[in-house]
Amino acid sequence: MKQVLMGLVLLMAGLSLAQGTDYQQAAVASAALARLQAVAQGATGEEKLLAWAKEVKARAEKSYEAKAYFKAAREAQAALLLFRAASGEPQVQARGPRPAPRMGMGMHHPFGPRGHAFAPWGKGRPGPDARLTQRVPSVVDRAEKELAYYRAQDSLVKDLVAEAKNRLSKEPGRAFLLARAALALISAERGF
């Protein structure tokens, strides 16, 4: 009986110690911060967006030092997106030619539910730029709705959503990146 009781006490102590630090989240945050550091060293582009990215980078480093690993990882993700938006990096790049399918492995008739498998970009299927312009308004709208629903207190998130809305028609790639950064910051603030 004493051994069973002692085993339960040790098990409970081990579980309470293990819950103190989430090593997987710490590793994810550490990797995100390392990537962020590498990107930040050579960052160039629009000054306003670079200033926001540096601010969010500093927040991520403070969160990591405070052992708020999930928050640090989300803030690092937001900073990376802001650095990409500042540099003007396109979100979608054109795909190269597709390899020919091997016989017997996925060969289907060019009609029916998989008829799109053989359609080139111009016929029956929108290209990457068209898909981006279709998707951007929904991402910006989602960021705006999450901002209102979760009552985010961060003024930077409000600025990011407003900037994304302003750039929606002129620069959809940057608007997409700004909205995604705002969503990452909202997620960091609420903790999930």
Side-chain angles (χ1 to χ4, degrees):
M1 185 69 167
K2 283 185 177 183
Q3 291 175 345
V4 171
L5 185 58
M6 186 57 127
L8 285 174
V9 169
L10 288 175
L11 179 65
M12 295 299 278
L15 286 175
S16 66
L17 287 174
Q19 291 176 352
T21 303
D22 187 5
Y23 294 107
Q24 183 178 10
Q25 282 293 330
V28 168
S30 177
L33 283 172
R35 183 169 180 221
L36 178 60
Q37 187 67 29
V39 169
Q41 287 176 355
T44 60
E46 191 176 328
E47 290 298 321
K48 181 179 180 180
L49 299 180
L50 281 176
W52 284 344
K54 290 176 183 174
E55 178 186 339
V56 175
K57 178 182 177 280
R59 283 188 199 179
E61 290 168 349
K62 285 181 186 176
S63 296
Y64 187 79
E65 290 172 4
K67 296 186 179 181
Y69 298 123
F70 178 80
K71 187 174 183 178
R74 289 296 185 174
E75 288 172 341
Q77 177 188 12
L80 282 170
L81 289 167
L82 287 172
F83 276 121
R84 286 180 61 193
S87 68
E89 183 177 317
Q91 175 61 25
V92 178
Q93 298 168 349
R95 294 182 183 174
R98 294 185 192 170
R102 297 187 336 214
M103 291 302 292
M105 301 297 291
M107 290 293 292
H108 299 281
H109 296 287
F111 51 86
R114 291 191 171 198
H116 67 278
F118 293 103
W121 284 116
K123 298 179 183 176
R125 189 157 124 177
D129 292 333
R131 285 185 296 187
L132 177 66
T133 55
Q134 290 171 357
R135 190 171 160 202
V136 170
S138 65
V139 173
V140 172
D141 189 45
R142 178 180 170 202
E144 187 176 19
K145 287 180 180 177
E146 280 196 24
L147 174 66
Y149 183 77
Y150 290 111
R151 296 182 183 98
Q153 302 299 317
D154 191 0
S155 62
L156 180 60
V157 174
K158 295 174 186 173
D159 292 341
L160 287 174
V161 171
E163 190 71 24
K165 286 175 64 176
N166 289 339
R167 295 179 185 228
L168 190 59
S169 62
K170 297 176 285 184
E171 300 173 297
R174 280 190 177 168
F176 179 78
L177 293 171
L178 291 170
R180 293 285 308 265
L183 288 170
L185 286 175
I186 291 170
S187 176
E189 185 178 328
R190 69 177 190 236
F192 61 90

